[in-house]
């Protein structure tokens, strides 16, 4: 009781009245978090916008150049190639990750001997650094030298990779494959959580009503998995569009700039004394990521 | 008792504070992995012999990039091994021209290599020389009765003999996954041609001013187009490794030390790796210049300054930094340094066994017979050696023919400028 009065005495003096509504100290509890958010997100973002409008080389004086960096980006054939690479990689990865992740989840949902161990094995690659993963896969698939490369050659012509790095579609397929192999387990975990949230009565009712397995999947399971699909699609798009490590370790963006992603381009521009320009490209990448994320969120919300 | 304890404690604190104030900390930033252990040893000796000065070594793998961050953030090391023309232009380095104790001991051509073209001052001191050319397997050459080529035709003939007589051996191994290696081919072959025909100083000036009339990179029969065509011909005729775009330097060393590659292009820094992989190679490694590949050219070999040391212009510990470098540059330390690095010393009073005797003699002979060129420090900031290497990757991947490669190179150079 005494404690309550004490608290009242403290709170009362800072009570504010605004638009006829009482405000007390608790409303200011979010201030530290807000301050941190402003310091580490809003300020750098605004600073980034400012830098993107300059020709700053990272050290010397920055001169205001307006939107020149942005227009230059769209006139640069290398940058346009990088956008194409990034989008193809993201589309391929996001689609395959979701399909394979869902397939894994459906398989891993059913009880069988050694299920837990299998789940762990599927998830395991996700905890390894993508850079290390890329190097390991490079040693496995290196043309003429890698163990898997030779093994695939033995399997017949349809499995031959050839000099996969000098063939753009094959290089891209290898990059997407490694990325999907690494992160399918993570997608699976989210789908598994979604599947476990679906009430068993609904599936049983559909079964009693005579629905076939495919009908049960499309009519019951899939609609109720929408929240998990949304999370997976959004995180996969963000992750794939900002890809850096896998490409850097497998191809270094090569040959030439054939498989260079926008993130690698930004890094190279930044260390190539074009800090202002690279910041402008980072802004563009931000919007490139934002658009598909918003679209997918909107679509899944409508379905909800 | 309590008073005595308090007094002792206060005294200890004062002493600690005094020591902390009196101690000068010299931050030494390096990207040279080969010398970390030796430098730690030398630094330890220096610190012990110089109470009041503490030198601390920081190694970064990507030192040339990280130093930019350090300059931008104001956390500039006192001493560094990274050196870029743009930093010179921005006045980031201390002028070391008056350090006659160092310069008097240095080979004059190395001092010239350390001289900034624009100001005529020296902002770094190089401790070593490095050479680059073709490392070849003397056993294979002897078995096939070959001698190192001096012209491109002889070079192709040698490669053809190797391919015909020893089908399992790669005549010329190129590790093209690493863009810097392909960038070096540009640096040593077409840029080397420009340096020998224009002369070092004129070539540097032409590059600094982007004098396209002299550089003429895009010409259909120019040094860049001929270089590209030669490379494409070698690829088409199977005279270089099939996996040129995916092979790494480790693959190259492995192939060379096992006798599966007859030759490869690289600098002296590769020597320690070869000998480590197979010490028996010591007497089997030969060294040859890049053959003359244009009608008016001669064989060239890179003979450049290596392992440069600079002091920051904003360092507050200039005297301590100079004292440390003086200690590091002593003949005794430089002998160890040169032998660890595997490259000859740039100091005249250092007699180091930097390589197996036969190999060192062959290098000396090549230096005497071929045109000596240096590295291009005057490249445009926006077009690095790696960028050039990535263009060669594209060439070997079939993106360009020789003419379009030369045009694209000229365009990239101009844009980078």
């Amino acid at each position: 009781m005494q404690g309550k009065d004490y608290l009242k005495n403290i709170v009362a003096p800072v009570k504010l009245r605004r638009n006829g509504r009482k405000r007390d100290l608790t409303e200011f509890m979010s201030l530290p978090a807000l301050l941190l958010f402003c310091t580490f997100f809003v300020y750098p973002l605004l600073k980034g916008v400012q830098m993107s409008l300059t020709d700053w080389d990272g050290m010397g004086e920055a001169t205001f150049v307006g939107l020149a960096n942005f227009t230059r980006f769209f006139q640069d054939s290398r940058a346009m190639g990088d956008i194409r690479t990034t989008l193809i990689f993201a589309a391929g990865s996001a689609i395959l990750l979701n399909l394979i992740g869902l397939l894994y989840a459906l398989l891993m949902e059913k009880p069988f001997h050694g299920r837990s161990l299998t789940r762990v094995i599927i998830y395991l690659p996700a905890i390894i650094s993508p850079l290390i993963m890329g190097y390991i896969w490079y040693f496995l698939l290196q043309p003429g030298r890698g163990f898997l490369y030779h093994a695939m050659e033995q399997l017949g012509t349809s499995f031959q990779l050839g000099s996969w790095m000098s063939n753009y579609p094959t290089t891209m397929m290898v990059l997407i494959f490694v990325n999907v192999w690494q992160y399918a387990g993570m997608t699976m975990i989210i789908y598994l959580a979604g599947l476990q949230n679906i009430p068993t009565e609904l599936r049983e009712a559909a079964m009693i009503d005579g629905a076939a397995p495919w009908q049960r999947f499309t009519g019951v399971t899939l609609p109720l998995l929408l929240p998990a699909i949304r999370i997976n699609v959004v995180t996969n798009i963000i992750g794939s569009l900002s890809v850096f490590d896998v490409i850097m370790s497998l191809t270094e963006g090569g040959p030439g700039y054939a498989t260079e992603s926008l993130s690698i381009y930004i890094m190279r521009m930044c260390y190539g004394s074009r800090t202002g320009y690279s910041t402008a490209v980072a802004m563009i990448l931000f919007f490139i990521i934002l658009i598909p994320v918003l679209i997918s969120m909107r679509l899944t919300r409508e379905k909800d | 008792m309590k008073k005595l304890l308090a007094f002792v404690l206060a005294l200890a604190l004062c002493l600690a504070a005094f020591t902390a104030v009196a101690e000068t900390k010299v931050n030494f930033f390096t990207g040279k992995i080969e010398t970390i252990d030796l430098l730690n040893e030398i630094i330890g000796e220096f610190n012990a012999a110089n109470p009041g000065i503490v030198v601390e070594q920081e190694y970064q793998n990507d030192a040339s990039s990280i130093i930019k961050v350090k300059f931008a953030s104001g956390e500039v090391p006192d001493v560094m091994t990274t050196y870029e023309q743009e930093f010179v232009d921005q006045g980031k380095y201390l002028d070391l021209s008056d350090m006659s104790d160092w310069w008097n001991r240095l080979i004059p051509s190395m001092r010239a290599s350390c001289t900034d073209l624009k100001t005529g001052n020296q902002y770094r001191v190089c401790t070593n020389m490095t050479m680059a050319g073709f490392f070849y397997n003397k056993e294979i050459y002897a078995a096939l009765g070959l001698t190192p080529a001096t012209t491109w035709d002889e070079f192709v003939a040698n490669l053809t003999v190797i391919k015909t007589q020893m089908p399992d051996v790669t005549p010329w191994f190129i590790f093209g996954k690493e863009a810097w290696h392909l960038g070096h081919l540009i640096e040593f072959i077409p840029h080397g041609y420009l340096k020998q025909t224009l002369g070092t100083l004129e070539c540097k000036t032409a590059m600094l001013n982007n004098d396209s009339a002299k550089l003429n990179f895009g010409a259909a029969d120019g040094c860049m187009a001929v270089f590209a065509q030669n490379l494409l011909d070698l690829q088409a005729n199977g005279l270089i490794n099939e996996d040129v775009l995916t092979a790494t330097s480790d693959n190259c060393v492995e192939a060379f030390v096992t006798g599966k590659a007859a030759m490869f292009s690289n600098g002296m820094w590769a020597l320690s790796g070869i000998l480590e992989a197979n010490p028996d190679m010591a007497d089997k490694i030969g060294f040859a210049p890049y053959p003359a590949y244009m009608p008016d050219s001669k064989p060239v070999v890179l003979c450049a300054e290596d392992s440069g040391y600079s002091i920051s212009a904003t360092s507050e510990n200039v005297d301590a930094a100079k004292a440390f470098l003086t200690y590091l540059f002593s003949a005794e330390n430089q002998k160890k340094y040169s032998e660890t690095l595997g490259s000859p010393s740039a100091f005249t009073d250092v007699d180091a066994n930097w390589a197996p005797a036969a190999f060192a003699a062959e290098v000396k002979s090549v230096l005497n017979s071929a045109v000596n060129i240096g590295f291009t420090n005057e490249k445009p900031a926006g077009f690095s050696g790696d960028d050039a290497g990535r263009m060669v990757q594209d060439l070997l991947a079939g993106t360009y023919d020789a003419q379009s490669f030369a045009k694209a190179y000229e365009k990239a150079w101009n844009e980078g400028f």
Side-chain angles (χ1 to χ4, degrees):
Chain A
M1 195 65 190
Q2 199 182 357
K4 216 172 179 180
D5 291 342
Y6 175 72
L7 197 66
K8 259 184 185 175
N9 289 336
I10 290 178
V11 174
V14 291
K15 271 187 177 173
L16 301 171
R17 191 175 288 274
R18 195 176 169 190
N19 299 333
R21 197 168 71 86
K22 277 185 183 174
R23 310 187 80 186
D24 60 33
L25 187 65
T26 53
E27 290 192 24
F28 294 94
M29 292 298 185
S30 60
L31 263 181
L34 202 65
L35 208 66
L36 284 174
F37 180 74
C38 289
T39 310
F40 293 108
F41 183 78
V42 179
Y43 174 71
L45 185 71
L46 295 175
K47 193 76 186 164
V49 173
Q50 183 203 356
M51 273 166 61
S52 69
L53 302 173
T54 68
D55 66 350
W56 193 41
D57 65 358
M59 279 171 293
E61 287 295 308
T63 313
F64 180 77
V65 293
L67 295 173
N69 287 333
F70 293 89
T71 50
R72 204 185 120 200
F73 174 80
F74 290 103
Q75 289 162 356
D76 183 354
S77 56
R78 176 178 158 191
M80 292 302 105
D82 291 351
I83 286 192
R84 183 186 69 148
T85 299
T86 309
L87 291 179
I88 292 173
F89 178 86
S93 292
I95 292 168
L96 282 177
L97 272 170
N98 280 283
L99 285 177
I100 293 172
L102 183 59
L103 193 70
Y104 274 151
L106 291 169
L107 290 172
M108 293 301 121
E109 195 199 9
K110 298 189 192 313
F112 64 89
H113 195 66
R115 185 174 69 165
S116 302
L117 182 69
T118 315
R119 282 181 184 178
V120 170
I121 290 170
I122 293 171
Y123 186 76
L124 218 53
I127 63 168
I128 299 172
S129 151
L131 205 64
I132 293 168
M133 188 59 65
Y135 285 124
I136 291 171
W137 273 104
Y138 186 76
F139 289 124
L140 289 173
L141 292 174
Q142 190 180 2
R145 296 170 194 278
F147 166 73
L148 265 180
Y149 179 87
H150 285 305
M152 287 168 89
E153 265 190 337
Q154 299 299 318
L155 286 171
T157 48
S158 58
F159 289 95
Q160 279 187 5
L161 277 170
S163 183
W164 54 268
M165 251 190 78
S166 50
N167 181 344
Y168 182 78
T170 326
T171 317
M172 192 46 79
M173 267 162 47
V174 168
L175 290 170
I176 292 171
F177 163 77
V178 172
N179 192 47
V180 169
W181 183 82
Q182 178 161 26
Y183 292 113
M186 199 176 263
T187 314
M188 173 196 75
I189 292 292
I190 296 168
Y191 279 130
L192 263 179
L195 284 171
Q196 281 160 4
N197 278 338
I198 298 173
T200 40
E201 306 88 69
L202 287 176
R203 291 199 229 183
E204 283 168 1
M207 206 187 293
I208 291 163
D209 289 344
W214 177 249
Q215 287 174 313
R216 290 202 299 275
F217 176 70
T218 52
V220 179
T221 310
L222 210 55
L224 292 171
L225 263 185
L226 271 178
I229 293 174
R230 186 191 302 151
I231 293 169
N232 270 331
V233 168
V234 169
T235 50
N236 289 337
I237 286 175
I238 293 173
S240 305
L241 282 173
S242 55
V243 62
F244 181 90
D245 330 50
V246 177
I247 295 182
M248 205 60 195
S249 52
L250 270 166
T251 66
E252 293 177 18
Y257 301 110
T259 55
E260 188 180 63
S261 70
L262 269 183
S263 300
I264 296 174
Y265 180 73
I266 290 168
M267 183 270 288
R268 285 180 175 157
M269 289 296 123
C270 186
Y271 285 127
S273 303
R274 300 187 208 178
T275 313
Y277 176 67
S278 68
T279 317
V281 182
M283 294 284 158
I284 292 167
L285 179 61
F286 173 74
F287 285 103
I288 288 175
I289 293 173
L290 193 66
I291 293 165
V293 167
L294 287 178
I295 292 171
S296 60
M297 286 184 77
R298 181 75 185 262
L299 285 175
T300 46
R301 196 171 291 143
E302 277 173 7
K303 292 273 182 196
D304 258 350
Chain B
M1 184 63 189
K2 275 184 185 172
K3 276 183 184 173
L4 183 69
L5 205 66
F7 176 73
V8 171
L9 202 66
L11 195 69
L13 279 171
C14 286
L15 273 172
F18 177 74
T19 316
V21 168
E23 201 171 75
T24 304
K25 200 170 147 189
V26 176
N27 295 310
F28 164 50
F29 181 77
T30 180
K32 292 189 86 67
I33 193 167
E34 315 92 296
T35 56
I36 294 176
D37 292 338
L38 175 68
L39 274 166
N40 275 336
E41 185 190 317
I42 293 173
I43 287 169
E45 289 164 5
F46 175 81
N47 288 347
N50 294 273
I53 303 178
V54 177
V55 179
E56 282 184 0
Q57 179 176 212
E58 180 189 350
Y59 163 76
Q60 292 288 349
N61 184 32
D62 194 8
S64 57
S65 296
I66 289 169
I67 194 68
K68 293 184 180 182
V69 179
K70 285 184 178 288
F71 275 130
S73 62
E75 289 182 16
V76 188
D78 300 292
V79 180
M80 66 206 96
T81 60
T82 48
Y83 182 85
E84 297 284 344
Q85 183 63 43
E86 60 176 309
F87 299 150
V88 176
D89 297 342
Q90 290 166 11
K92 302 285 185 194
Y93 302 119
L94 187 75
D95 182 6
L96 301 173
S97 309
D98 60 347
M99 298 303 293
S100 49
D101 286 352
W102 299 345
W103 298 118
N104 291 342
R105 291 173 51 221
L106 216 68
I107 294 171
S109 65
M110 286 297 109
R111 181 174 187 174
S113 299
C114 292
T115 304
D116 173 41
L117 202 65
K118 291 179 184 171
T119 59
N121 297 331
Q122 289 92 32
Y123 297 99
R124 68 171 164 166
V125 183
C126 67
T127 58
N128 291 72
M129 297 189 288
T130 193
M131 283 74 73
F134 278 110
F135 288 72
Y136 68 91
N137 186 318
K138 287 206 284 197
E139 268 189 349
I140 293 177
Y141 266 56
L144 299 175
L146 302 175
T147 50
T150 52
T151 66
W152 192 260
D153 289 343
E154 287 172 18
F155 181 70
V156 176
N158 278 355
L159 297 180
T160 310
V161 170
I162 295 166
K163 183 181 161 61
T164 318
Q165 302 292 318
M166 295 183 168
D168 293 338
V169 174
T170 302
W172 177 8
F173 197 103
I174 301 177
F175 45 102
K177 182 171 190 263
E178 297 175 23
W180 66 266
H181 175 58
L182 298 175
H184 271 184
L185 293 185
I186 293 233
E187 177 73 2
F188 305 146
I189 302 175
H191 283 190
Y193 167 76
L194 287 175
K195 284 170 197 167
Q196 64 167 281
T197 49
L198 293 174
T200 305
L201 200 67
E202 198 178 338
C203 183
K204 278 173 180 262
T205 311
M207 285 180 169
L208 265 178
N209 300 326
N210 195 20
D211 187 341
S212 52
K214 285 180 179 163
L215 300 176
N216 206 13
F217 287 130
D221 57 350
C223 61
M224 204 54 75
V226 174
F227 161 76
Q229 189 57 56
N230 285 347
L231 212 53
L232 288 176
D233 289 346
L234 293 182
Q235 188 183 30
N237 295 322
L239 299 176
I240 58 173
N241 45 316
E242 267 183 43
D243 61 346
V244 58
L245 289 173
T246 51
T248 64
S249 54
D250 287 345
N251 299 147
C252 177
V253 169
E254 188 198 345
F256 187 70
V257 300
T258 53
K260 289 178 184 161
M263 71 170 85
F264 68 98
S265 157
N266 215 337
M268 286 304 131
W269 54 86
L271 189 62
S272 56
I274 297 169
L275 295 175
E276 196 179 313
N278 184 2
D280 294 341
M281 286 295 289
D283 300 325
K284 299 176 192 167
I285 312 168
F287 187 73
Y290 295 98
Y293 82 109
M294 296 288 281
D296 57 339
S297 70
K298 292 174 186 162
V300 295
V301 62
L302 174 91
C303 177
E305 69 283 7
D306 186 24
S307 191
Y309 285 81
S310 304
I311 297 176
S312 165
T314 54
S315 171
E316 292 172 357
N317 308 308
V318 171
D319 290 339
K322 284 181 177 174
F324 166 61
L325 288 183
T326 302
Y327 184 76
L328 176 64
F329 296 162
S330 70
E332 186 192 345
N333 282 332
Q334 281 307 303
K335 180 174 168 18
K336 286 190 271 183
Y337 193 92
S338 181
E339 287 167 2
T340 304
L341 203 60
S343 64
S345 179
F347 290 101
T348 50
D349 56 353
V350 176
D351 184 20
N353 301 315
W354 61 273
F359 181 75
E362 198 156 348
V363 172
K364 197 174 176 184
S365 158
V366 169
L367 287 175
N368 289 331
S369 62
V371 176
N372 292 200
I373 56 162
F375 273 117
T376 308
N377 294 319
E378 296 75 22
K379 280 194 288 277
F383 185 56
S384 66
D386 277 12
D387 289 330
R390 276 187 275 276
M391 288 190 69
V392 181
Q393 283 182 343
D394 270 339
L395 174 78
L396 294 168
T399 309
Y400 299 116
D401 58 22
Q403 310 296 329
S404 60
F405 176 80
K407 288 279 175 210
Y409 189 88
E410 186 173 52
K411 184 169 175 267
W413 178 282
N414 289 337
E415 283 177 1
F417 199 83

